[in-house]
Amino acid sequence: RATNGNYYIRPAAVATEIASQNVDNYESQGIVGLWYQHGGINQRWTFQPTVDGYFRIKNLSDNKMFESSSLGQQIQIRTQSNS
């Protein structure tokens, strides 16, 4: 856990790296990769509950959400749509 309800996301199989938004991708979409923890805002995430019992995972640097359209697809990060 980072601070104030913000979290770092660390894969169980990779103990030295955490989920990090690529800082070169601040358009409407971007890439999430693994990087060494440096405490930057692009490595902090919040979990927002949805009405159907799931969570939206939002990056603090620009409020983009994790997104994947199908099982096994690479996770991307996008500006939240209204749909």
Side-chain angles (χ1 to χ4, degrees):
R1 184 172 181 173
T3 58
N4 299 326
N6 306 322
Y7 294 87
Y8 296 116
I9 300 173
R10 183 181 319 276
V14 185
T16 59
E17 298 175 357
I18 62 173
S20 181
Q21 180 182 341
N22 184 332
V23 294
D24 295 331
N25 291 44
Y26 286 116
E27 299 296 324
S28 64
Q29 64 184 23
I31 297 171
V32 176
L34 296 178
W35 198 255
Y36 295 105
Q37 183 174 337
H38 54 69
I41 196 166
N42 66 315
Q43 294 185 328
R44 294 192 216 157
W45 307 86
T46 61
F47 289 76
Q48 301 177 334
T50 63
V51 294
D52 55 2
Y54 293 95
F55 289 88
R56 285 195 172 100
I57 303 173
K58 181 174 79 168
N59 186 266
L60 289 182
S61 65
D62 58 8
N63 296 323
K64 290 189 178 103
M65 304 282 183
F66 265 28
E67 179 180 273
S68 180
S69 61
S70 64
L71 186 62
Q73 183 185 30
Q74 181 180 14
I75 293 174
Q76 297 181 349
I77 187 166
R78 295 184 187 267
T79 304
Q80 181 178 357
S81 67
N82 292 328
S83 58

